[in-house]
Amino acid sequence: MAKRLTREEVAHVALLARLEVTDDELDMFTGQLADILEHANDVEALDVSGVEAMAHPMQLRNVFRTDVIVPALDRDEVLSQAPSAEDRRFRVPRILGEAP
Amino acid sequence: MSESPTTAIDIAAAVRDGRVTAAEVVETHLAAIDAREAELHACNAVLADEARAAAGRGDAARAAGATLGPLAGVPVALKDNMCTRGIPTTCSSKILEGWRPPYDATVVTKLQEAGAIVIAKTNLDEFAMGSSTENSAFGPTKNPHDVTKVPGGSSGGSAVAVAAGFAPISLGSDTGGSIRQPAALCGVVGLKPTYGTVSRYGLIAFASSLDQIGPFGATIADAAATYNVIAGHDPRDSTSYAGAMATIGAAELAGDVSGMRVGIISELVGAEGIADDVKRRFTEAADALSAAGAKVEETSVPACVYGLSAYYLIAPAEASSNLARYDGVRYGLRIEADNITDMYTQTRTAGFGPEVKRRIMLGTYALSAGYYDAYYGKALKVRSLIARDFAAAYEKFDVLLSPTAPTTAFGFGAKTDNPLAMYLSDVCTIPSNLCGDPAISVPFGTGDDGLPVGVQVLAPALGEPALFRAAAALEGSAP
Amino acid sequence: MTLPDGWVMVIGLEVHCELKTATKLFCGCPNMFGDEPNTNICPTCLGLPGSLPVLNENAVELAMRIGAALNCDILASTFHRKNYFYPDMPKDYQVSQYDEPINLNGRLDLPDGFRVGVTRAHIEEDTGKSTHVGGDGRIHGATHSLVDYNRSGVPLVEIVSEPDMRTADQARAYVTELRAILVATGASDGRMEEGSMRVDANISVRRSETDEFGTRCEIKNVNSIRSLGRAIEYEAARQVGLIEAGDRVIQQTRHWNEQQGRTITGRVKEDADDYRYFLEPDLVPLDPSPEWIASVRSELAVLPATRREAVAAATGADASATAVATVVDLELDQLVLGAVAAGADGRIALARASNEVAADAEGGRGLDVAAFTAVIAMESASEITATQAKTVLGELLADGGGDPEAIAAKHGFEAMDGSVLDSVVDKVIAANPNEWQRYKDGDAKVTGFFVGQVMKATGGKADGKAVTAALVARTKA
Ligand SMILES: [Zn+2]
């Protein structure tokens, strides 16, 4: 049986997911998520050795498109939906660090 | 003009024959919406102007001698997670409120080419996460049979639209039962087709390997007619099935099940929480198939019982990644902040509701370093086991049978504080999504409370013909 | 610059190259550098809700060419999502090949024969481009940033080397050779200045008596092969300095600052770096047929190393000579080989091709082999001088062709009679007795003076080599 999910783990996951949770929410989510994971513990007893992971229901392979240009979207239509735009580009607040 | 037609098939025939105009059809349905929408809140948007304009174009085309499509003049309601160009598409989330997509989903194009008229965008659990439509950021949808009860979800709005006569047909999306469960709770037909038969292009993703668009209809025939229109290979969806797909026709809809091998999934009938009245109706349904000449037997699909556990790791994992893009940069909500990281966090914190946050965090956890193998990796193997057991069952049976939902429609707030209890509503529907197989919910009488009960028919991948045959038989014998 | 005695540097390179496709990796938007911002965008490369990716077959073909050229195993592969938030990445995940890349276990031989292992060469999508406003255009100190998604979804192949290189020269040679291969196979245009080829260097140092690798730093933002050498030498010296001072190297990303000639701290690896890789459910596995792989291998362009050997064999030059590399890089090798096959002197053909013709490579690639051969033949037969040959070549290139003999005749180029040259040389010596004395005393610097004087007196018609020979003959008289 896996150990029960902790508050710290939930806080870390919220950080990774760019979500802010209050202390009360952290308690609530920790309890709820721990219950769900505990329910999932029934699969832990299952012997799945030698079983292939099934990431997808359709066993397709090699789906391609040909390298032919398709008309692009209209920039004005796209930028009209942007929360903030400047000089033909999407404007964002200052970025704190380099991309990984 | 005598009695106005109500089913999609009759409407299309009448429009083609000139017995009624598309404009008249649209007005009839707008009037139905007017009468009950305020009470039911099935729609995020009623597209009266657009529908009238489309009807006008259709009628003009007919006058000009054009050949009309199979759904000519038929109003259709779309779950508000399918992109409609220039028309707000919200996923019932604050984070997408007001967003106008610059493109149409493939299903929208196909429906329009068949002559159908989009009349409304319908309410859903935010990002299709839920089983009651209570997770909509814009307020819940009510069950038209009893407005104190939920319509099911997540495609609650689309189920209600058909149940309340807002449109003869509608589209929903089904990731773990989101078409079939509300169909059962609202007393309409709901189909989740084989994964890959209906394009996902333009369907806002919840869990990509599980999501599938499908129709609601008041009748099996309408669901089939809609399926025939929306199914087909789409080169814009890499997971779209490229082989031959069956068209459902009169042969299937005749519902001849003599000699058909029907297996009752004992694990699902006996699952925790299946109500007695639902069980009774289910037994009647199985008996009815038997009486119609099918060979009905109980069978075991052992790994079936792990479906819920596998699903609640796989679906949130995919969702956590699919929903990362709602970051306030390119579209939708933004809460301004001093720097980009704070902007992301504040936007997502304000824009997503609690159920969406819960699933994003669950999925992030299941994928994160150190837990991947124990949770996500394990769940994918369990998914294999489930698929294997179903494949074995289909060696012996043409279709399988189970209840669609454990209970009839439940009250508002009954399960909102206990996510796990809510998730258990999907115990019978989830396995088909994990396997990619088709399944349909057919109304079959009512429960002790007088509310609709649904019976689910399951078939192997691309087994829609057998599925519809059994479904039509059930429809014909329903109380 | 080298490291102090007793230290060894260990270099591994990660090279990202943009593939030369017409469209992006997963959508039909143009793969085009330098267009108006946000004009090559669609739902897919903007990450709009509901959009889906479909793999570009030609990108796979080009990736396989790279694998074939680097002697990789070309395998069945899959795509994963690498999850992290960043504004230039519209889906907030990057689609990349992770544990099952298309190309594995390759190698690249440097011109001097040194072999560098290639770990893998996998397909992934490029990000958009941010422009930072305020703060001198740098990310730090900027007030806000602006994002252009034209580059988002452009197909990349990331080529990861083994940490086999031990000197900056080897690293430079690796990138030079890799670039030549990418261009030759048509997979990429290899333009570092436009960012279509980007090099990150993983550098560590260790004491020569141990086998244990030190902590490495990743150097980014290296924009030319020259900078790569400088950055590596700077960084290795920095690490040795730290360790010798009793400090330790911290694993981090560092940026090369070309103006300051140093690397500066970039991003420190954080515990929060958790990319949650999982199979991209919107794509299906890639499993090229054996026939497809075989056709890519068999139709692969002749690689630069083989072409250099051919030029070397035909001209008598060393395969690692700069002139040989130049004509191969500029695709002038067919011109040289054609001329030699037609009987031209290889040494002269190589010299003219790698200098005068190389100065106008585009014209040179269109130059008629027979005309080029004729010029070389006239020069090697001393019918015209080297200077005159350059003039004739210049006109051929400028005019896009012509008759070399007619051009030579038009300029009055003709072989100078030996007796005429002798008399001019005698006159020049007589007029410059002091310089002649210095020449006789062995001052080689005045050779040029005498050649110049003779050229002046003959209107440039004398052959420089003949003048030198005449001077030498007179010292022995
Ligand atoms: Zn695009």
Side-chain angles (χ1 to χ4, degrees):
Chain A
M1 188 73 103
K3 69 178 177 58
R4 203 170 157 86
L5 185 74
T6 65
R7 253 177 140 255
E8 290 65 37
E9 286 170 324
V10 176
H12 176 67
V13 158
L15 178 78
L16 281 178
R18 300 290 184 269
L19 293 169
E20 196 167 74
V21 283
T22 62
D23 272 1
D24 286 351
E25 284 172 328
L26 197 52
D27 288 335
M28 177 187 76
F29 283 132
T30 303
Q32 291 171 339
L33 296 183
D35 285 349
I36 296 163
L37 289 170
E38 228 146 72
H39 183 269
N41 279 339
D42 62 352
V43 304
E44 239 181 342
L46 277 180
D47 180 12
V48 291
S49 53
V51 177
E52 285 273 310
M54 178 179 169
H56 216 273
M58 274 272 168
Q59 303 307 309
L60 300 170
R61 304 179 101 66
N62 295 329
V63 176
F64 301 117
R65 37 172 281 273
T66 50
D67 189 17
V68 175
I69 291 175
V70 171
L73 287 175
D74 177 62
R75 179 171 66 198
D76 293 338
E77 184 177 0
V78 170
L79 287 179
S80 76
Q81 299 295 303
S84 180
E86 179 180 314
D87 190 23
R88 303 157 293 162
R89 295 166 173 90
F90 295 84
R91 181 186 163 128
V92 297
R94 66 195 180 89
I95 303 169
L96 296 181
E98 312 286 342
Chain B
M1 193 181 74
S2 58
E3 185 111 325
S4 46
T6 54
T7 69
I9 287 174
D10 290 347
I11 289 170
V15 169
R16 273 196 302 269
D17 297 350
R19 283 178 279 125
V20 65
T21 64
E24 287 165 339
V25 172
V26 164
E27 291 310 325
T28 306
H29 289 87
L30 286 174
I33 294 174
D34 246 13
R36 288 199 78 185
E37 171 58 12
E39 177 193 19
L40 299 177
H41 188 223
C43 304
N44 285 345
V46 177
L47 307 174
D49 293 346
E50 291 85 347
R52 286 181 175 123
R57 285 194 300 274
D59 288 333
R62 184 181 182 279
T67 311
L68 301 186
L71 295 177
V74 176
V76 57
L78 296 176
K79 189 177 185 179
D80 202 16
N81 62 353
M82 297 173 204
C83 289
T84 41
R85 183 166 186 170
I87 293 167
T89 300
T90 67
C91 277
S92 288
S93 179
K94 277 190 277 184
I95 212 155
L96 267 182
E97 197 170 358
W99 179 57
R100 293 170 188 270
Y103 75 108
D104 278 323
T106 297
V107 288
V108 175
T109 307
K110 280 179 172 279
L111 283 170
Q112 286 169 342
E113 283 169 0
I117 295 167
V118 178
I119 199 165
K121 299 295 291 284
T122 63
N123 199 13
L124 61 147
D125 285 298
E126 184 177 4
F127 282 101
M129 297 177 186
S131 309
S132 67
T133 320
E134 290 168 286
N135 295 332
S136 168
F138 310 135
T141 296
K142 313 270 171 62
N143 192 312
H145 300 282
D146 176 350
V147 294
T148 67
K149 299 284 164 53
V150 302
S154 66
S155 311
S158 284
V160 170
V162 171
F166 292 2
I169 53 171
S170 65
L171 293 191
S173 65
D174 190 315
T175 307
S178 281
I179 291 173
R180 292 160 286 160
Q181 186 257 17
L185 271 51
C186 292
V188 297
V189 175
L191 167 73
K192 182 203 93 76
T194 301
Y195 186 91
T197 57
V198 179
S199 171
R200 292 186 296 117
Y201 188 77
L203 168 69
I204 299 180
F206 161 14
S208 314
S209 80
L210 302 161
D211 294 342
Q212 189 62 194
I213 291 174
F216 288 95
T219 65
I220 297 286
D222 275 3
T226 312
Y227 170 74
N228 287 341
V229 165
I230 60 175
H233 178 248
D234 182 2
R236 286 182 296 187
D237 176 356
S238 302
T239 63
S240 170
Y241 183 66
M245 292 176 212
T247 299
I248 305 305
E252 289 79 19
L253 298 175
D256 178 2
V257 293
S258 53
M260 184 182 262
R261 300 167 303 165
V262 178
I264 293 171
I265 305 173
S266 50
E267 286 81 2
L268 296 184
V269 179
E272 178 192 344
I274 308 283
D276 288 344
D277 55 347
V278 170
K279 241 180 250 183
R280 275 198 303 278
R281 285 299 188 194
F282 175 76
T283 306
E284 284 173 44
D287 291 348
L289 287 180
S290 198
K295 290 188 279 185
V296 183
E297 278 176 52
E298 280 232 0
T299 189
S300 173
V301 186
C304 206
V305 299
Y306 303 110
L308 197 73
S309 296
Y311 176 85
Y312 276 98
L313 294 170
I314 295 168
E318 293 184 16
S320 70
S321 174
N322 283 331
L323 271 64
R325 69 188 65 190
Y326 305 102
D327 61 7
V329 174
R330 292 157 299 276
Y331 43 80
L333 180 74
R334 171 188 290 191
I335 306 296
E336 286 294 351
D338 162 75
N339 63 71
I340 189 120
T341 306
D342 289 352
M343 189 279 277
Y344 286 155
T345 305
Q346 289 174 31
T347 298
R348 291 166 61 79
T349 301
F352 290 136
E355 181 61 24
V356 172
K357 288 179 186 169
R358 194 150 39 232
R359 297 209 198 185
I360 288 175
M361 289 196 283
L362 184 58
T364 303
Y365 181 74
L367 288 175
S368 66
Y371 300 103
Y372 179 98
D373 289 339
Y375 290 112
Y376 184 70
K378 187 86 179 250
L380 294 184
K381 292 183 173 184
V382 173
R383 187 178 187 178
S384 272
L385 289 182
I386 296 169
R388 186 196 286 177
D389 284 358
F390 270 97
Y394 288 125
E395 298 273 308
K396 292 179 287 175
F397 298 98
D398 300 307
V399 297
L400 299 173
L401 213 59
S402 83
T404 306
T407 65
T408 56
F410 46 90
F412 287 97
K415 300 181 183 185
T416 42
D417 292 337
N418 185 349
L420 193 53
M422 186 74 90
Y423 297 173
L424 285 166
S425 313
D426 300 332
V427 67
C428 296
T429 47
I430 277 172
S432 306
N433 298 86
L434 291 171
C435 300
D437 296 341
I440 192 167
S441 180
V442 184
F444 203 88
T446 52
D448 294 344
D449 49 11
L451 292 173
V453 170
V455 170
Q456 178 176 230
V457 185
L458 305 88
L462 302 171
E464 274 83 357
L467 190 81
F468 271 103
R469 207 177 272 271
L474 284 174
E475 181 179 53
S477 54
Chain C
M1 188 169 102
T2 49
L3 291 183
D5 276 353
W7 288 95
V8 177
M9 63 171 102
V10 176
I11 307 160
L13 297 175
E14 290 170 14
V15 176
H16 287 84
C17 68
E18 290 181 354
L19 298 178
K20 229 166 71 179
T21 52
T23 64
K24 296 185 180 182
L25 185 55
F26 297 124
C27 63
C29 290
N31 168 12
M32 191 73 81
F33 176 81
D35 280 358
E36 266 281 291
N38 291 310
T39 50
N40 300 330
I41 51 172
C42 74
T44 297
C45 60
L46 264 181
L48 294 189
S51 64
L52 293 171
V54 185
L55 184 59
N56 181 341
E57 186 167 26
N58 189 32
V60 176
E61 166 94 17
L62 298 184
M64 285 164 60
R65 276 192 211 167
I66 294 173
L70 297 175
N71 285 293
C72 292
D73 300 327
I74 301 174
L75 304 164
S77 62
T78 53
F79 291 90
H80 275 64
R81 292 185 184 178
K82 179 183 184 181
N83 295 285
Y84 63 94
F85 285 87
Y86 210 74
D88 63 14
M89 212 169 45
K91 303 180 294 292
D92 289 299
Y93 57 78
Q94 180 192 32
V95 178
S96 175
Q97 298 196 305
Y98 178 54
D99 56 355
E100 297 174 301
I102 184 166
N103 301 307
L104 267 180
N105 300 326
R107 62 177 193 276
L108 187 153
D109 290 333
L110 303 185
D112 66 2
F114 186 83
R115 177 162 288 184
V116 180
V118 171
T119 316
R120 55 189 282 156
H122 68 259
I123 305 170
E124 62 184 32
E125 58 178 340
D126 209 344
T127 61
K129 227 173 168 157
S130 306
T131 309
H132 308 298
V133 181
D136 304 328
R138 283 175 302 129
I139 190 165
H140 299 289
T143 57
H144 61 280
S145 299
L146 304 175
V147 193
D148 167 18
Y149 291 105
N150 280 351
R151 200 181 66 181
S152 160
V154 162
L156 293 175
V157 164
E158 179 178 352
I159 301 148
V160 182
S161 87
E162 290 288 307
D164 289 343
M165 289 159 277
R166 295 291 175 270
T167 67
D169 281 346
Q170 284 177 341
R172 272 197 296 257
Y174 172 88
V175 174
T176 305
E177 186 66 7
L178 179 57
R179 188 187 165 281
I181 289 170
L182 294 173
V183 171
T185 54
S188 176
D189 58 20
R191 293 196 184 121
M192 282 184 86
E193 65 286 359
E194 286 181 6
S196 78
M197 179 166 160
R198 308 193 279 272
V199 181
D200 300 333
N202 284 302
I203 298 160
S204 65
V205 296
R206 62 173 164 84
R207 294 190 193 271
S208 43
E209 65 269 18
T210 71
D211 288 337
E212 210 177 306
F213 287 175
T215 304
R216 62 190 168 89
C217 291
E218 185 180 17
I219 311 302
K220 287 185 180 276
N221 199 32
V222 181
N223 293 322
S224 69
I225 292 174
R226 188 178 156 271
S227 306
L228 175 68
R230 292 180 68 202
I232 288 171
E233 291 190 336
Y234 174 88
E235 176 60 21
R238 184 189 74 87
Q239 293 183 11
V240 169
L242 276 175
I243 299 167
E244 287 193 331
D247 238 328
R248 62 185 187 90
V249 176
I250 298 166
Q251 186 177 340
Q252 59 182 282
T253 302
R254 298 180 65 83
H255 294 264
W256 172 245
N257 185 312
E258 183 70 37
Q259 286 75 41
Q260 300 174 14
R262 63 193 190 101
T263 61
I264 49 178
T265 305
R267 201 172 166 281
V268 178
K269 291 266 178 208
E270 290 167 28
D271 291 342
D273 288 349
D274 183 344
Y275 301 124
R276 290 157 281 133
Y277 283 99
F278 74 108
L279 267 181
E280 160 60 294
D282 289 330
L283 291 168
V284 304
L286 173 58
D287 189 6
S289 67
E291 294 75 32
W292 190 8
I293 296 172
S295 85
V296 167
R297 289 198 192 275
S298 68
E299 287 161 24
L300 195 65
V302 181
L303 295 182
T306 310
R307 287 163 53 195
R308 284 195 303 267
E309 276 157 26
V311 171
T315 61
D318 193 290
S320 60
T322 310
V324 174
T326 302
V327 296
V328 168
D329 277 356
L330 298 175
E331 291 174 43
L332 298 170
D333 46 334
Q334 288 308 316
L335 184 66
V336 174
L337 293 174
V340 173
D345 180 282
R347 194 185 50 81
I348 299 177
L350 178 59
R352 292 295 153 263
S354 64
N355 290 293
E356 289 71 31
V357 182
D360 177 8
E362 199 179 328
R365 287 188 285 271
L367 191 58
D368 179 38
V369 174
F372 179 68
T373 307
V375 178
I376 305 306
M378 290 194 295
E379 182 183 344
S380 61
S382 296
E383 289 165 22
I384 55 174
T385 67
T387 312
Q388 290 167 343
K390 292 173 192 177
T391 306
V392 175
L393 268 179
E395 280 194 30
L396 283 173
L397 288 167
D399 299 347
D403 175 3
E405 299 199 9
I407 296 170
K410 181 185 76 183
H411 286 281
F413 295 162
E414 52 191 292
M416 180 166 283
D417 190 280
S419 61
V420 177
L421 180 65
D422 282 344
S423 80
V424 175
V425 171
D426 289 338
K427 275 184 209 159
V428 170
I429 289 174
N432 301 285
N434 295 339
E435 284 77 6
W436 180 242
Q437 190 57 49
R438 277 170 53 201
Y439 183 84
K440 281 197 292 186
D441 292 346
D443 184 351
K445 282 181 280 187
V446 286
T447 309
F449 166 80
F450 282 109
V451 173
Q453 291 296 312
V454 174
M455 286 294 177
K456 202 170 155 187
T458 61
K461 288 179 186 172
D463 179 352
K465 278 173 292 178
V467 177
T468 311
L471 291 170
V472 171
R474 275 159 184 71
T475 61
K476 292 172 183 163

